[in-house]
Amino acid sequence: MKKGLIILFFTVLKASGQIDDQTYLVEYKKAVQLFANSQYEEASQKLAPLCSNSYSNPIVPYSYFYSALSSRNRGNNYQSRVIFRQLFENFNDWDKINEARINYADLNFSENYFEEALKNIELINDPAFNDLKNRMLNHYIPKIQSISNLKDLYFKFPTQQIIALSIVKYIQSNRYNSKDDLELSDMLTNRFKFKDINNKESKSSKKVALNEDKIETINFAVLLPFNISETKSEIGKTSNRYSYDIFMGMKMAVNKLALEGIKTNVYAFDIQKSKTDFLKFEKTGELNKMDVFVGPLYSEPNVLANDFAHSNKIIQVHPLSNNLELLKKDRQIFLVQPSYTQQAKKSLEFTQKKQLDKTVSIYFGTGKKDSLFAISYQEEAIKLGYKISILKKFTGANIKIAPEKGHIFLVVDMNLGTKFLQNLERNKIFSQVMCTATSFNWENVTKSSFKQNVAIIYPEYVNESKASVEEFKKNYTLTMNASSSYYNYVGYDMVLYFSRMLKDGKDIFKLNIESGPYTDDYLQSGFDFSGRPNENKIVPIVTFNGENFEEVFR
């Protein structure tokens, strides 16, 4: 049976034919999305034709890696081992090879192939993996009940202290030992300086193994200003309605994840503007069991939360801010909202795709955020060789706006966007316009304001006609007896995404998060935290098609 499976696997590879790099990337992303959704059978089928050393793009070893993990997750350990070995043979210099080896070692340990597992453990020289290696060794080796097997492993791997310790424990707990065994026990005890073997377990032996790094229940701490003190009734009646909406959206995601077999809890902590708001919860010990911090919103409590998260290996997510200053080097901090720099890059990519002249007129409002965005746009444009025709403040007055051969960028107060577009129309200017979504009051704006030459940079865009959105709105109304909001969508998508990334443990989380965009099954446009910094790189750009807004670029 196993032989038949492998023959079938290679037959699929042979019959699939070659595809270009762009198509390969698209197919790979689809496969990884299936993996993230726990659809391992479908992921394996999608990845199989991508696992060929005839491809030369840098994504190929990732395909092997996820193919091996998919096979294991659907119970085909034999095929998983075969694919891992192909990965090692063909891509031994892959920069993630140690992640593959640690998973391959765990797979072999779980099936009692101790020698194969130990060989790969010893091939991993990166100190960053030392703790994980020790956890794995201290989980599996003590389970070996045969003294002959332990001796055989020790003579093949004489530097592995846990094997020596297991031998000594076995001999000292046995009532009848040969002279050779007693001498071996003494020799190992002296060599490794073991003490109190019978009375005290080594601290390392209590650690868990890689497959137990999988988080049984993922706990989210929502560290936002709920202003619970303002009311004796529900959180939803406080002034900070958005915090409540994010929280309730997160609660809806818990139900969705339960159907996928992922256990998730979300807990609300009313964190206002001061450090004491965080300290009072830190002292209770409630935050120690958390896996993800959402927030805080304000800087003072965020400093403490950030340090606490770093010390306790807790992932921190900021759902509303796009300030890159929040991202510190080597810390697990993520911005759900793309920064101004990222939005500028995407806008310029869009205009380049339209093959417009490399000139831009930049208009910005009176707010500090408007000028910051305008400066970021200017800097990114100059990097790409654009000429800045105009950099000018727009206050709503009927100023003269010059036509632009390239494109116009607009970032103003939400009451001024419509006035700016009306100004263009009066002056019969039909240049390509790139507007920020924050330039408009979406409750009052008329769709007729948006002509074919107007595109909107819209990170908060939600396609209301998407099936997942319609289903969420229906379920939310039935559950909460209220209409859903944008902040509900933020909370829902955030918990859905980070829970799926974390469900296989924080070590696999790093690989999952780096594998590229995840866009399916989310209410908004999805997430992409590949590369650095850890900001969401998906920036929807929408246009009005005469009936509705539609996403035309991201």
Side-chain angles (χ1 to χ4, degrees):
M1 180 64 182
K2 290 180 179 178
K3 183 177 179 182
L5 285 171
I6 299 304
I7 290 173
L8 175 62
F9 178 67
F10 284 108
T11 301
V12 172
L13 290 179
K14 186 175 180 181
S16 63
Q18 290 291 299
I19 55 178
D20 60 80
D21 287 352
Q22 185 60 37
T23 304
Y24 186 101
L25 180 61
V26 171
E27 292 301 303
Y28 166 77
K29 289 179 178 179
K30 290 178 182 178
V32 172
Q33 185 68 57
L34 291 169
F35 178 88
N37 293 340
S38 302
Q39 296 173 263
Y40 302 121
E41 183 72 39
E42 295 85 347
S44 290
Q45 293 174 4
K46 182 72 71 173
L47 288 162
L50 305 181
C51 294
S52 171
N53 59 7
S54 59
Y55 289 113
S56 59
N57 70 71
I59 305 298
V60 179
Y62 285 92
S63 294
Y64 275 90
F65 180 76
Y66 280 101
S67 181
L69 291 182
S70 296
S71 293
R72 185 181 184 187
N73 283 332
R74 62 190 180 89
N76 195 334
N77 291 346
Y78 178 76
Q79 183 172 338
S80 180
R81 289 197 303 275
V82 169
I83 300 169
F84 270 124
R85 287 196 290 268
Q86 291 172 344
L87 171 61
F88 302 146
E89 180 181 349
N90 296 317
F91 304 97
N92 194 47
D93 59 348
W94 181 43
D95 61 351
K96 302 290 184 182
I97 199 69
N98 287 329
E99 281 90 341
R101 290 202 181 279
I102 203 76
N103 279 275
Y104 178 65
D106 182 66
L107 173 59
N108 281 283
F109 270 132
S110 69
E111 295 201 304
N112 298 329
Y113 295 128
F114 298 109
E115 186 174 345
E116 183 71 6
L118 286 161
K119 283 180 181 177
N120 281 272
I121 284 286
E122 295 202 337
L123 285 172
I124 301 172
N125 297 317
D126 186 347
F129 286 84
N130 287 347
D131 181 62
L132 193 55
K133 287 159 60 176
N134 288 332
R135 288 160 58 190
M136 186 183 296
L137 291 166
N138 285 288
H139 175 74
Y140 286 111
I141 298 301
K143 292 183 177 182
I144 301 174
Q145 299 299 311
S146 169
I147 186 64
S148 60
N149 287 345
L150 284 169
K151 289 178 183 177
D152 182 59
L153 289 173
Y154 173 73
F155 291 121
K156 290 176 179 175
F157 305 96
T159 63
Q160 292 296 342
Q161 180 173 317
I162 186 59
I163 300 176
L165 180 62
S166 296
I167 291 172
V168 172
K169 283 186 175 182
Y170 184 96
I171 293 172
Q172 293 192 6
S173 65
N174 191 23
R175 294 182 60 186
Y176 303 102
N177 294 296
S178 67
K179 181 181 178 181
D180 288 343
D181 282 349
L182 292 173
E183 289 178 351
L184 175 61
S185 175
D186 289 342
M187 184 270 288
L188 294 176
T189 299
N190 292 330
R191 177 181 178 187
F192 291 99
K193 297 180 173 57
F194 294 139
K195 295 179 180 179
D196 300 322
I197 297 297
N198 292 322
N199 299 321
K200 188 186 297 182
E201 284 191 39
S202 67
K203 183 178 179 181
S204 59
S205 67
K206 297 180 181 179
K207 296 180 180 179
V208 295
L210 177 66
N211 65 342
E212 291 185 352
D213 183 56
K214 183 175 180 179
I215 304 173
E216 293 299 325
T217 302
I218 302 167
N219 294 316
F220 286 78
V222 188
L223 311 178
L224 295 178
F226 289 98
N227 289 350
I228 296 175
S229 60
E230 294 182 1
T231 176
K232 295 180 180 179
S233 56
E234 297 181 50
I235 299 173
K237 295 181 180 179
T238 70
S239 58
N240 287 342
R241 175 76 195 196
Y242 67 88
S243 296
Y244 174 79
D245 283 353
I246 289 174
F247 181 74
M248 298 314 296
M250 294 172 73
K251 296 283 283 185
M252 294 291 289
V254 170
N255 300 330
K256 167 77 171 177
L257 290 164
L259 299 175
E260 300 177 15
I262 304 173
K263 296 179 181 179
T264 309
N265 291 322
V266 296
Y267 301 94
F269 296 86
D270 190 13
I271 306 292
Q272 302 290 323
K273 297 183 179 182
S274 71
K275 291 182 179 180
T276 55
D277 293 324
F278 181 82
L279 287 172
K280 68 182 179 183
F281 290 113
E282 182 182 3
K283 289 176 181 177
T284 66
E286 295 177 80
L287 298 175
N288 293 317
K289 65 180 181 180
M290 298 298 157
D291 301 295
V292 183
F293 280 177
V294 177
L297 183 65
Y298 297 104
S299 59
E300 280 198 15
N302 182 62
V303 171
L304 296 180
N306 189 254
D307 290 337
F308 185 91
H310 179 64
S311 299
N312 293 276
K313 297 183 178 179
I314 296 171
I315 292 162
Q316 189 176 14
V317 181
H318 292 286
L320 302 178
S321 177
N322 65 359
N323 183 5
L324 288 175
E325 293 298 317
L326 292 170
L327 302 180
K328 297 184 179 181
K329 187 178 181 182
D330 298 328
R331 295 198 174 187
Q332 295 280 43
I333 307 171
F334 299 88
L335 299 182
V336 171
Q337 301 297 327
S339 67
Y340 294 144
T341 298
Q342 186 64 30
Q343 293 181 54
K345 287 179 179 178
K346 287 295 182 178
S347 175
L348 291 163
E349 281 182 34
F350 176 72
T351 59
Q352 286 181 306
K353 184 180 178 182
K354 293 177 73 71
Q355 297 182 330
L356 303 174
D357 284 3
K358 298 187 79 170
T359 59
V360 56
S361 296
I362 301 173
Y363 295 88
F364 58 97
T366 57
K368 182 179 179 181
K369 291 184 178 180
D370 298 339
S371 58
L372 287 174
F373 201 160
I375 291 169
S376 294
Y377 204 94
Q378 178 188 30
E379 290 174 348
E380 293 305 313
I382 291 173
K383 286 179 185 177
L384 294 172
Y386 279 76
K387 177 185 176 182
I388 310 301
S389 304
I390 295 171
L391 180 63
K392 190 172 185 178
K393 185 174 290 186
F394 179 77
T395 62
N398 190 21
I399 63 171
K400 184 176 181 180
I401 300 175
E404 175 59 75
K405 291 183 178 179
H407 72 279
I408 296 170
F409 172 70
L410 174 70
V411 52
V412 291
D413 180 86
M414 66 179 183
N415 295 315
L416 298 181
T418 301
K419 290 184 178 180
F420 186 89
L421 296 183
Q422 289 171 345
N423 190 316
L424 293 179
E425 190 170 6
R426 279 196 302 271
N427 290 282
K428 299 187 181 330
I429 296 174
F430 305 106
S431 305
Q432 174 67 53
V433 183
M434 303 299 299
C435 306
T436 63
T438 55
S439 298
F440 302 94
N441 184 341
W442 292 99
E443 293 183 1
N444 300 322
V445 70
T446 57
K447 292 180 179 179
S448 59
S449 302
F450 300 98
K451 308 302 181 184
Q452 291 182 343
N453 62 312
V454 178
I456 305 166
I457 306 165
Y458 205 165
E460 300 85 5
Y461 174 71
V462 175
N463 181 358
E464 298 288 342
S465 64
K466 194 160 61 171
S468 58
V469 176
E470 291 179 346
E471 181 183 3
F472 177 86
K473 290 167 69 175
K474 179 181 177 181
N475 291 337
Y476 191 86
T477 301
L478 290 172
T479 305
M480 304 298 173
N481 196 28
S483 299
S484 58
S485 73
Y486 162 73
Y487 295 110
N488 293 145
Y489 303 152
V490 171
Y492 179 85
D493 280 358
M494 182 170 53
V495 169
L496 213 62
Y497 174 76
F498 283 96
S499 295
R500 288 169 173 172
M501 297 297 100
L502 274 167
K503 68 184 177 65
D504 293 314
K506 291 184 180 178
D507 296 295
I508 297 298
F509 170 81
K510 296 175 184 177
L511 278 171
N512 288 343
I513 212 90
E514 278 287 338
S515 64
Y518 292 80
T519 57
D520 295 343
D521 200 28
Y522 295 103
L523 304 180
Q524 299 180 88
S525 296
F527 301 88
D528 182 4
F529 290 103
S530 57
R532 283 188 176 272
N534 293 339
E535 62 169 320
N536 191 1
K537 295 173 180 61
I538 292 183
V539 182
I541 293 176
V542 305
T543 59
F544 185 63
N545 62 14
E547 295 183 2
N548 296 296
F549 289 100
E550 62 178 352
E551 186 175 330
V552 294
F553 191 77
R554 64 170 57 177

